[in-house]
């Protein structure tokens, strides 16, 4: 059949099918790609058979397809005849001198073969093929026939003279394969009634013919024998392809001929796909998704199998390495590094080591080998670690890395370095990991950064690496990480004798030898060469030599001339003879920037798919002058092979080649500025993969928009909480980049447009951002990093080395290189159930660190090498209730580390690891804080009961003990040392702030009704600032020579409890972290004005650590941390948020203006969102408690703590109305307007006022309350809603809910919530109401029946209740803001959860619009979104599908009543049937779980 388009299409279909299942498919046609030089040199058959062997070695699925038709195929003479066989043929041909002379002329002896052979000679360039070929074939077959008859040659050798090439390939690819029918298929073409038409001219074209044009019966008989052999040996591989006889089958333009390859192609695709699925099903149960791993392992094993066969010259080194492995197997030891120049033989040595491991360490030893850079996965550090982790876990029966680990590369690193210890603890099988050519990993090759190495391997675990010396300085970098000289083993050049031995082994393995003259010539040329790589190249050329050296050289030149032309070969070889600087010249001439750019451009075209799907390209071929417009038949390169399988190869390679081909505009359009690319890369490789792409391109792309997009991608909290999903990624980017869409249209504007287009086509219910409302890029955020599984408990900076040391709840200490934003070391050592790292101390110019954990250990680590110097058990007893270490202090001058807990202080010598002294405290009065006053050689401890003790820091002896005179009947909560003033500042339970020194103490400040929970100190030259935290407030003091003075009149007020605080860069900023997951930045120079509110990591901010201009923030409840550059805090930004800290802003003019109280709360700020600044302020003369806006009436209602409501007209400042309270000094709790804005409800603790709002000029008129009623309940009102008919719904702090009819003075109790009612809202038609509570319960109420219709409970690991809610304008949906910083959309019709969106901030109020809602957030942005819901629910997806732990449960009253009735009916039937043995069968309430 023709090898045209119909034949090429099916393999592409199969390739696409394999890609959808995560497999790579390579199609090899045994005739494509073979040059004329190979064909004329009779190498075609050999090359094809080698390719068949390679397919069987590497494929885990289909490996061989053949089509057997009605032609046996060409039967060429053997290209090689052994000497003994030649003599037998020669004897039979002696009677025919002309035939013997022809055979002797066409075959030349090759004495270099073992045994000697006769080779079929290539025709010269002037010689033409003709009748001589047929004569030679006939003569050899005749001679073979006679020799077989006489028993001189075997049947098999006789068959070689008659066998076709096709049969030889089928025999090698199928009949001699050990896998049988596992991966092979033979299509047998069967043309019906062909024998009846065999003598017709058209039929003869389909069968073998003789030269005279008649039927070749011998070939037909051999074909029948081949078919019978296949049917007998491998019947399962035969697939018949039946064709009806037609004269048009041999006519390509005819339709009948066109249908044949099409139908055959369909059968091929079906069979290949079936075999792929069969292979996947035969993999280990539940491990089909690991086909990529099996393919990777098979690839490296296949490459490794070749190297040891000709290994020589390294036996002494191999023996030494084996002894070293055996000696170190039972105890901790460093990894081994084999180094040497390229081509020295490191790979062969690694493969030989892998082969010998079972003999060295036991037959159950698990050996993992990776020849790095030879596959896509082994070229990438992430893929490499992941594949090794999976392989080791499978080998040892350990659980595979969970999805949570695979989401973050740092977790994979941690898993990778923890895995050897897990294996070691089994105390059974040894594990050996061999990584060859570490410098070929992309991160090393491109960034010159060596992957982190463990300084020590645990017992029975060995890590062996090889690296090139002198290349990119990788070995020098490795020396900085792995400092043990015994870990390095140099692979030296082979001696001359060893090199000769290697070549001899290679020749013997290929059954070749050399003549004495050739050997001398080869040895002379390799006199100074001891590199196996070069020796192997020399062998590959020498094995082609015939018996004489001169003839061999002429053969080499002839081959080169035939391929490249005589002129080029003459010039190049002449230059090689005259110069030894070939490498430099080649690099200069052929690896220059234009040449490299051209090469990268070709690969970029391939991966971009511009050569696929029939697209023609202009190509200039060698020896062809004019360019040709050709279809290159390249497989398509889509981003997605299927809905779940991404084209990882394209994602990895295309950005790299676009960058290095200089096609920057295409890079910006197709990669950095493509939402399709960003979403595919993010979903398949995570945020880290996306950031890697941007980091790769950043040095080459001078575009500020690229930096904006990169910073916008730092949205890991949303991804961690909600999972990586398209709608999340599109929302995050659009809501952050919207601010820049107009000012940066080229890249950012296009991305926003693409995101909007995607939302328009989204088939699922989705919330679509209509403006920017998430923290925009260009701000202080430098990085969001994930480094553990649980929370972060300690942080410390190493400024000199630009490192950040992070301690975690699981006892791990991670050392981060903050320039590269990569983990360089993961320090283990804290074990047992109590692992949490309590604190970390960095010293010795940032090179050493001491972390301590709940296991009472102190570990001293070298941060540069990652090596542990010592571990000290710091406990007194094994009692688990023993108090934990709370602080560390290092005296570098005396080389002493002091560890302090609530009951003891230990002093340890950092050099000898000896305990200098131990001070034990009183368990009944534990110490709260300990300070080491180095200048006075004194230890100062303060206990909870206020006892101050002074100890000698050299001996630990008690010097003096006294009680704090400044506090009475208080307990000390916290304290911090002031080294410069040799004092301590303490805070106590009743608000007393004391200054403690060795001379005594004094009261610094008394806070009314407040407990001091935090104290912080920072110094500025001779001055010193102290921060004292109490609840939600912080107070700042200045210490100078005159004492401590309060800096600001007002305290720094927060919306939630302050957890931590530090001084910012240059000490002109104060940075605080609170439980509401927010970080506030305050200005010292501007009297505590709030400069910025930053998003934390979605959990209470527990830790802040400053390192120069950078500040790191983390939480005990999150595995991520953020790094900020606060020098940006006072720079202008794209959008200035409104800094509302009260939590009850109001909005007017469809989101144009926001109203909120100022920090002092006696003024209301009017914020212009378009301008991003304060437009005006309203003086209320009292603290504001709540705000409401009447849009239609243009009124702002401000409820004050005094009970007064001030009403400000929005279009005038001259007419301010005042609504007095019903009782003096009653603070307002909340207010609400009816939907028509005709009524206002004002609530106090237990009083409700309902007032009418009437039109008036120049402003509406508000008269005295129309109705006033008391709740008569001990609990206070928490939320309220009022209807147009004077009905009032109000919720209480204890969860009670009531409907009150003012006109009839009737109250209707509604079913209570279990906790505080946080919001009550009425539908626009006033038929329904919704209420929400702190228990994350939403209830939909039928106001006519006074009963709930639906109860919706939503729980996840982060949910903390409902904050606010509202109905859509058409009353079909409920929008609710939750305290876990998300917004949900709930269907009123059936209670279905339609959508959920994480918005990073608590939403204080939701206001419906015509197609969605607007909502101000506590971060100071206004959310404006459209809710898009398709009319059909068929396409609806589960909104919680990416949540790790989330449950949505809806209870329907109607369904519950029906279920209860059905249950009662079943009970009665059961009772009548069973009498006294009645059994309850009542159905449980119907729940819809989404």
């Amino acid at each position: 059949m023709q090898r045209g388009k119909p034949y090429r299409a099916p393999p592409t279909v199969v390739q696409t099918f394999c890609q959808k299942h995560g497999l790579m498919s390579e199609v090899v046609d045994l005739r494509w790609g073979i040059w004329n030089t190979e064909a004329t040199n009779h190498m075609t058959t050999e090359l094809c058979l080698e390719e068949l062997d390679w397919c069987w070695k590497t494929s885990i699925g289909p490996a061989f397809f053949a089509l057997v038709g009605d032609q046996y195929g060409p039967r060429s003479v053997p290209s090689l005849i052994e000497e003994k066989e030649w003599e037998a043929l020669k004897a039979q041909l002696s009677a025919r001198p002309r035939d013997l002379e022809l055979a002797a002329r066409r075959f030349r002896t090759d004495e270099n073969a073992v045994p000697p052979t006769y080779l079929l000679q290539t025709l010269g360039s002037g010689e033409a093929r003709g009748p001589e070929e047929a004569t030679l074939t006939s003569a050899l077959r005749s001679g073979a026939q006679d020799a077989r008859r006489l028993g001189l040659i075997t049947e098999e050798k006789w068959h070689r003279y008659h066998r076709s090439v096709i049969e030889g390939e089928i025999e090698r690819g199928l009949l001699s394969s050990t896998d049988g029918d596992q991966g092979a298929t033979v299509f047998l073409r069967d043309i019906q009634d062909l024998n009846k038409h065999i003598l017709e001219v058209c039929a003869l074209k389909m069968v073998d013919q003789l030269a005279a044009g008649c039927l070749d019966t011998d070939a037909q008989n051999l074909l029948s024998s081949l078919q019978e052999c296949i049917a007998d040996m491998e019947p399962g591989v035969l697939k018949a392809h039946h064709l009806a006889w037609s004269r048009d089958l041999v006519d390509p333009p005819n339709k009948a001929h066109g249908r044949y390859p099409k139908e055959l192609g369909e059968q091929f695709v079906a069979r290949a796909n079936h075999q792929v699925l069969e292979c996947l099903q035969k993999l280990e149960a539940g491990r089909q998704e690991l086909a990529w791993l099996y393919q990777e392992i098979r690839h490296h094993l296949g490459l490794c199998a070749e190297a040891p066969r000709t290994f020589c010259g390294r036996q002494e080194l191999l023996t030494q390495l084996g002894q070293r492995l055996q000696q170190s197997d039972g105890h901790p030891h460093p990894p081994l590094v084999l180094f040497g120049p390229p081509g020295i033989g490191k790979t062969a040595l690694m493969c030989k080591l892998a082969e010998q491991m079972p003999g060295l360490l036991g037959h159950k030893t698990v050996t993992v080998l990776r020849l790095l850079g030879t596959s896509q996965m082994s070229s990438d550090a992430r893929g490499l670690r992941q594949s090794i982790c999976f392989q080791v876990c499978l080998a040892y029966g350990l659980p595979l890395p969970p999805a949570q680990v695979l989401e973050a590369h740092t977790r994979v690193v941690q898993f990778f370095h923890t895995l050897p210890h897990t294996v070691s603890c089994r105390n059974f099988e040894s594990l050996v990991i061999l990584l060859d050519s570490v410098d070929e990993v992309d991160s090393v090759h491109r960034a010159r950064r060596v992957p982190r190495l463990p300084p020590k391997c645990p017992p029975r675990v060995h890590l062996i690496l090889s690296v090139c010396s002198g290349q990119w300085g990788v070995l020098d970098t490795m020396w900085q990480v792995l400092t043990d000289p015994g870990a390095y083993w140099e692979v030296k050049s082979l001696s001359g004798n060893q090199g000769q031995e290697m070549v001899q082994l290679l020749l013997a393995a290929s059954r070749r030898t050399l003549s004495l003259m050739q050997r001398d010539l080869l040895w002379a040329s390799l006199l100074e060469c001891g590199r196996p790589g070069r020796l192997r190249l020399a062998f590959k050329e020498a094995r082609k030599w015939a018996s004489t050296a001169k003839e061999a050289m002429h053969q080499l030149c002839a081959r080169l001339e035939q391929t490249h032309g005589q002129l080029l070969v003459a010039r190049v070889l002449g230059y090689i003879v005259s110069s030894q600087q070939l490498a430099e010249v080649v690099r200069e001439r052929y690896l220059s920037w234009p040449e490299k750019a051209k090469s990268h451009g070709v690969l970029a075209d391939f991966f971009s798919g511009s050569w696929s799907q029939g697209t023609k390209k202009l190509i200039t071929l060698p020896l062809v002058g004019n360019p040709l417009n050709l279809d290159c038949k390249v497989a398509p390169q889509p981003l997605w092979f299927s809905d779940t399988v991404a084209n990882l190869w394209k994602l990895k390679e295309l950005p790299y080649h676009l960058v290095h081909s200089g096609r920057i505009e295409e890079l910006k359009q197709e990669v950095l500025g493509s939402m399709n690319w960003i979403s595919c890369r993010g979903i398949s490789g995570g945020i880290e993969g996306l950031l890697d792409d941007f980091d790769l391109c950043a040095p080459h792309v001078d575009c500020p928009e690229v930096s904006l997009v990169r910073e916008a991608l730092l949205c890991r909290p949303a991804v961690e909480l909600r999972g990586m999903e398209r709608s999340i990624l599109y929302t995050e980017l659009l809501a952050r980049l919207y601010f820049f869409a107009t000012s940066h249209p080229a890249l950012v504007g296009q991305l926003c447009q693409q995101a909007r287009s995607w939302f328009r086509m989204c088939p699922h219910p989705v919330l679509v951002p209509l403006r920017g409302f998430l923290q925009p890029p260009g701000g202080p955020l430098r990085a969001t990093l994930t480094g553990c599984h649980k929370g972060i408990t300690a942080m410390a900076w190493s400024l000199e080395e630009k490192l950040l040391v992070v301690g975690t709840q699981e006892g791990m200490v991670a050392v981060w290189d903050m320039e590269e934003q990569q983990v360089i070391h993961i320090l283990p050592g804290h074990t047992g159930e109590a692992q949490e790292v309590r604190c970390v101390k960095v010293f010795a110019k940032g090179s050493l660190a001491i972390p301590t954990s709940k296991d009472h250990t102190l570990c001293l680590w070298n941060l540069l090498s990652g090596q542990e110097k010592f571990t000290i058990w710091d406990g007194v007893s094994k009692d688990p209730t023993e108090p934990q270490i709370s602080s560390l202090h290092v005296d570098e001058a005396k080389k002493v580390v002091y560890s302090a807990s609530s009951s003891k202080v230990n002093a340890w010598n950092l050099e000898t690891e000896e305990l200098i002294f131990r001070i034990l405290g009183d368990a009944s009065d534990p110490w709260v804080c300990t300070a080491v006053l180095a200048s006075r050689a004194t230890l100062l401890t303060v206990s909870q009961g206020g006892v101050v003790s002074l100890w000698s820091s050299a001996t630990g002896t008690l010097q003096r003990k006294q009680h704090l005179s400044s506090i009475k009947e208080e307990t000390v909560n916290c304290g911090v040392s002031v080294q410069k003033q040799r004092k301590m500042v303490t805070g106590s339970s009743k608000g007393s702030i004391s200054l403690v020194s060795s001379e005594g103490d004094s009261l610094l400040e008394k806070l009314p009704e407040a407990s001091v929970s935090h104290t912080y100190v920072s110094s500025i030259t001779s001055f010193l600032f102290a921060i004292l935290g109490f609840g939600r407030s912080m107070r700042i003091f200045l210490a100078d020579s005159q004492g401590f003075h309060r800096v600001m009149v007002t305290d720094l007020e927060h919306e939630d409890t302050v957890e931590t605080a530090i001084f910012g860069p240059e000490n002109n900023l104060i940075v605080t972290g609170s439980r509401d997951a927010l970080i506030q930045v305050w200005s010292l120079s501007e009297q505590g004005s709030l400069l910025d509110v930053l998003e934390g990591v979605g959990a209470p901010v527990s830790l802040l650590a400053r390192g120069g201009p950078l500040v790191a923030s983390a939480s005990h409840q999150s595995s991520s941390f953020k790094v900020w550059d606060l020098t940006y805090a006072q720079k202008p930004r794209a959008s200035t948020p409104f800094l509302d800290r009260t939590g009850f802003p109001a909005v007017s003019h469809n989101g144009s203006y926001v109203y909120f109280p100022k920090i002092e709360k006696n003024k209301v700020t009017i914020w212009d969102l378009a301008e991003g600044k304060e437009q005006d302020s309203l003086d209320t003369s009292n603290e504001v408690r709540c705000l409401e806006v009447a849009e239609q009436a243009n009124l702002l209602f401000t409820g004050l703590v005094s009970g007064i409501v001030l009403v400000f007209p929005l279009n005038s400042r001259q007419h301010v109305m005042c609504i007095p309270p019903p009782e003096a000094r009653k603070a307002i709790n909340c207010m609400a307007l009816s939907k028509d804005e005709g009524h206002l409800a004002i609530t106090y603790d237990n009083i409700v006022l309902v007032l009418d709002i009437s039109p008036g000029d120049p402003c509406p008129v508000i008269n005295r309350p129309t109705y006033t009623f008391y709740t008569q309940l001990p609990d206070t009102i928490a939320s309220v809603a009022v209807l147009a008919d004077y009905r009032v719904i109000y919720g209480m702090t204890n969860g009670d809910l009531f409907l009150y009819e003012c006109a009839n003075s009737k109250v209707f109790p509604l079913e209570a919530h279990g906790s505080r009612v946080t919001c009550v809202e009425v539908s626009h038609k006033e038929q329904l109401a919704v209420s929400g509570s702190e228990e994350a319960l939403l209830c939909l109420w039928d106001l006519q029946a006074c009963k709930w219709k639906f109860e919706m409970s939503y729980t996840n690991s982060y949910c903390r209740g409902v904050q606010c809610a509202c109905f859509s304008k058409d009353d079909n949906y409920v929008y609710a803001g939750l305290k876990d910083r998300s917004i949900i959309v709930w269907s009123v019709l059936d209670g279905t959860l339609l959508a959920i969106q994480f918005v990073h901030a608590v939403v204080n109020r939701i206001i419906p619009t015509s197609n969605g809602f607007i909502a101000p957030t506590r971060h100071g942005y206004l959310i404006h979104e459209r809710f898009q819901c398709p009319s059909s629910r068929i396409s609806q997806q589960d909104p919680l599908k990416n949540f790790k732990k989330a449950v949505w449960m809806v209870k329907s009253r109607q369904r519950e009543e029906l279920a209860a009735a059905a249950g009662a009916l079943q009970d009665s039937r059961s009772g009548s049937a069973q009498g006294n043995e009645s059994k309850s069968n009542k159905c449980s309430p119907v729940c819809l779980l989404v």
Side-chain angles (χ1 to χ4, degrees), residues 193-317:
D193 299 328
L194 177 63
N195 291 333
K196 296 180 181 180
H197 306 274
I198 196 67
L199 298 180
E200 297 180 17
V201 175
C202 59
L204 284 174
K205 295 181 180 180
M206 302 181 189
V207 296
D208 298 286
Q209 303 177 53
L210 295 174
C214 57
L215 180 67
D216 187 346
T217 55
D218 288 342
Q220 290 293 294
N221 292 334
L222 289 170
L223 176 62
S224 298
S225 298
L226 173 62
Q227 293 173 347
E228 291 174 2
C229 182
I230 297 173
D232 291 340
M233 296 183 63
E234 300 289 351
V237 306
L238 279 177
K239 300 295 175 184
H241 183 76
H242 301 287
L243 289 173
W245 162 255
S246 172
R247 297 175 181 273
D248 301 324
L249 285 174
V250 295
D251 185 14
N254 197 281
K255 292 183 179 179
H257 182 275
R259 285 195 301 270
Y260 161 52
K262 180 181 179 183
E263 293 172 357
L264 180 61
E266 292 173 352
Q267 191 174 3
F268 166 79
V269 170
R271 174 62 177 169
N273 292 353
H274 176 72
Q275 283 191 320
V276 170
L277 293 177
E278 276 188 332
C279 294
L280 290 175
Q281 291 170 359
K282 289 178 181 178
L283 294 175
E284 183 181 354
R287 292 287 184 262
Q288 291 186 15
E289 69 279 6
L290 297 180
W292 60 269
L293 177 64
Y294 303 139
Q295 197 170 21
E296 179 75 3
I297 295 172
R298 187 185 287 250
H299 165 80
H300 293 283
L301 290 179
L303 294 177
C304 175
E306 302 294 331
R309 295 177 184 174
T310 55
F311 182 85
C312 69
R314 310 282 191 199
Q315 199 58 49
E316 183 180 353
L317 177 60

Side-chain angles (χ1 to χ4, degrees), residues 1015-1020 1024-1028 1035-1038 1047-1048 1052 1060-1072 1082 1084 1104-1111 1126:
T1015 53
Y1016 308 93
V1017 170
S1018 183
S1019 61
I1020 307 177
L1024 180 142
F1025 284 97
I1027 309 174
L1028 298 111
R1035 186 166 294 182
I1036 314 301
F1037 290 87
L1038 171 65
V1047 176
M1048 294 175 288
L1052 307 183
T1060 180
I1062 60 169
F1063 287 91
E1066 300 178 3
N1067 291 310
N1068 62 345
L1069 301 175
I1070 298 173
V1071 187
T1072 59
W1082 312 79
L1084 266 176
L1104 291 171
R1106 194 191 93 187
L1110 301 180
V1111 171
L1126 294 187

Side-chain angles (χ1 to χ4, degrees), residues 630-692:
L630 300 176
D631 177 4
C632 297
K633 307 298 181 183
V634 173
Q637 294 293 326
L639 281 173
W640 291 98
F641 293 131
S642 69
D643 292 340
T644 57
V645 179
N647 188 346
L648 299 179
W649 197 16
K650 176 175 182 173
L651 293 172
K652 175 177 178 292
E653 296 293 337
L654 182 57
Y656 179 75
H657 294 299
L658 286 175
V659 164
H660 290 87
S661 62
R663 290 153 60 171
I664 302 303
E665 288 304 316
E666 186 176 348
L667 175 75
K668 291 195 288 187
Q669 291 296 321
E670 300 299 324
V671 177
L672 306 180
S674 169
M675 281 302 303
N676 288 333
W677 177 282
I678 290 174
S679 63
C680 181
R681 188 75 164 102
I683 292 171
S684 61
I687 289 294
E688 291 179 336
L690 264 173
L691 295 177
D692 282 349

